[in-house]
Amino acid sequence: MSDWPEGRNGGPDERYGRGSASPRPESARAMPHVRRRPAPPQSPPRIPPQQGQGYDGYGEAPGYDSGYNTGQVYGGGQGGGGRGGDSGYVQPQYAPDWGRRIKVGALTLVVVLLAVSIGTYFWADGKLKREVDLSKVIDRPGEGDGTNYLIVGSDSREGMTAEDKKKLHTGSAEGKRTDSMMILHDGSNGPTMISLPRDSNVEIPSFVGSESGKKFEGTGRTTKLNAAYAEDGPELLVRTVEFNTGLRIDHYVEIGFGGFANIVDAIGGVEMDIPKAFKDKKSGADFQAGKQTLNGEQSLAFVRTRYAFAGSDLDRTKNQQKFLAALASQTATPSTILNPFKLYPTMGAGLDTVVVDKDMSLWSLGNMFFAMKGVTGGEGTSMNIPLSGQSVNGNLVWDKDKVKQLVEQLKNDEKVTVKGS
C-alpha cells in the first residue's frame, strides 16, 4: 500500500522536493498544507472594500484570510462573469414612451378641468338669492313657446355704505322701488327685449299678498307700473305685468344699484358709443360724445338719466337696453369666461346682489345673459312696448291692439314684426 498522497507524480524512489537528500519526505514536509476555499453563501451581502484592502467578491469581509493571500482581488474585473457585486452587467436603457405620457397628461387635464367646472357651478348656484315665489301669483296666462324673463333694475341700496350712496348719487330713501323693467323673450327666432316704462298706466288686478297670504280683490284701479312693485313686491309686479299683457313670465331677475356697479367694475368697464353729450345733476351723468369705457359709477348714471332727454323715460329705457346688451356682449367672452381672475370676481359681484325666482337655475340665468348678448349681435330685436299716448294723469298708455299682436307673436315664438314706441 502506498502512503504517497493520491495524485502525486513519481514513485516511491522519487525524491520529494528540490535539493532533498532523503529518499522519503520529512515528517514536517510530508504533506503540503492545502486549504480548500469555503463555499460562498447563496446570497452574499456586498460589503464595500475599505481603502487599501482587497475584496474577493464572495461576501468575505476585508481582512479575512482565505488561505490564498496572493493580493489578487476576485470578481473585480469589468468584463468577468463572476458573481461579485461589480459583475460588469449594465441595466438596459429604454426610450421614454411619449405617446403614453401625453395621453396620461391629457386625461389628467380633463379630470382637473371637469372638477373645477363642477365645483364652480355648485359654488355659483349656491350664491343665487332665490327669494321670489311665483307660485303665489294667481290666475296666470297659459304657457307659450320660448322663455320669458322679467328683468328688473331696482333702486335697492342694500349693502351700500353712506360713502357709496353719495358716490353713486342714489340718495338714501328707505325700501326699494323699480327703476327699470323689461321683458326678455328667448326663442327660436332670436331674442326680443321689450322695455316697460315705469310710468306705464296699468290696472292692478286681484292678487294674493306675498307675505300675508290674504287675497285682495281687484277694483279696476289704475296706477303707474312701478307702484305695483312698491305695493307688494316682485310677486304683485309679475301678476300685474301678466294681467295687462296676457304673457306668462317664466323667470324673474332683479339687481340693485350696488350690484350693477360692482359687475361693471369687475369686468373692467363697458365700452359705449354715446352719440350726443349730455349732463344730469340728479344721476351724476356728465358724458361727452363718442366711444368711451364707463366704470361702475358712470354706468349707473348712464342708465338712470331721464331728465336730460326730451323723451324722458322712453329715452332712458332705450339707453338701458343699449347698455345691458353691451354689458352682456362684453362679459360673455372667452377673455372673461376662461380667465379665473375676471370670472370669479364678476360672478361674485353679480350673484351676491341678484334676486331671482325659486325655480331659476344657474343654467337659465346663463341662457338669459347670452340672449341679451344676442340683441347686440343683431340676432334679435329691442323695443319699447307700443304706446298710444298719455292718460289724464300723465301716465303712458299702451296701444292695446299692438300689444295683443306682439304677445301672440311671442307666445307662438314667431318673428316679431310689431314696431315699438
Side-chain angles (χ1 to χ4, degrees), residues 3-6 8 16-17 24-34:
D3 55 359
W4 292 97
E6 185 177 344
R8 297 280 296 180
Y16 178 74
R24 295 179 63 89
E26 297 176 1
S27 59
R29 294 186 291 175
M31 188 70 149
H33 182 72
V34 178

Side-chain angles (χ1 to χ4, degrees), residues 51-64:
Q51 185 174 2
Q53 294 182 332
Y55 183 68
D56 66 359
Y58 286 89
E60 295 174 359
Y64 175 77

Side-chain angles (χ1 to χ4, degrees), residues 159-180:
M160 296 176 62
T161 64
E163 184 179 351
D164 292 334
K165 295 174 184 177
K166 182 178 180 180
K167 178 182 177 182
L168 299 176
H169 301 272
T170 64
S172 300
E174 296 297 327
K176 59 181 181 179
R177 287 157 293 278
T178 53
D179 206 54
S180 60

Side-chain angles (χ1 to χ4, degrees), residues 15-232:
R15 297 183 185 273
Y16 178 74
R18 293 183 180 178
S20 175
S22 175
R24 295 179 63 89
E26 297 176 1
S27 59
R29 294 186 291 175
M31 188 70 149
H33 182 72
V34 178
R35 179 178 295 178
R36 297 183 180 274
R37 176 191 289 282
Q42 293 298 320
S43 300
R46 185 177 190 275
I47 303 175
Q50 299 180 4
Q51 185 174 2
Q53 294 182 332
Y55 183 68
D56 66 359
Y58 286 89
E60 295 174 359
Y64 175 77
D65 184 8
S66 64
Y68 287 89
N69 191 9
T70 62
Q72 182 178 357
V73 179
Y74 289 86
Q78 295 185 1
R83 298 170 58 188
D86 298 328
S87 63
Y89 176 75
V90 179
Q91 181 72 24
Q93 300 295 321
Y94 298 99
D97 188 349
W98 289 109
R100 183 175 179 274
R101 292 187 180 185
I102 292 174
K103 290 179 182 179
V104 172
L107 180 60
T108 302
L109 179 61
V110 170
V111 171
V112 170
L113 291 177
L114 184 61
V116 170
S117 300
I118 293 174
T120 299
Y121 181 89
F122 283 103
W123 166 79
D125 188 73
K127 293 178 73 69
L128 281 178
K129 295 183 177 181
R130 297 181 173 91
E131 300 176 359
V132 180
D133 190 356
L134 296 184
S135 67
K136 296 179 179 179
V137 180
I138 62 173
D139 301 333
R140 309 194 67 186
E143 295 183 357
D145 296 328
T147 304
N148 300 312
Y149 302 87
L150 180 60
I151 304 173
V152 174
S154 76
D155 62 0
S156 172
R157 297 157 179 83
E158 182 179 356
M160 296 176 62
T161 64
E163 184 179 351
D164 292 334
K165 295 174 184 177
K166 182 178 180 180
K167 178 182 177 182
L168 299 176
H169 301 272
T170 64
S172 300
E174 296 297 327
K176 59 181 181 179
R177 287 157 293 278
T178 53
D179 206 54
S180 60
M181 292 157 284
M182 57 188 69
I183 295 172
L184 176 65
H185 174 81
D186 184 20
S188 58
N189 279 290
T192 302
M193 185 179 289
I194 307 162
S195 287
L196 310 175
R198 56 182 288 180
D199 295 338
S200 296
N201 196 65
V202 295
E203 180 181 342
I204 301 296
S206 58
F207 67 96
V208 174
S210 59
E211 296 295 335
S212 65
K214 180 182 176 180
K215 185 173 182 179
F216 297 87
E217 296 292 342
T219 61
R221 172 172 59 100
T222 61
T223 184
K224 292 181 180 181
L225 179 59
N226 66 342
Y229 182 95
E231 187 172 331
D232 198 52

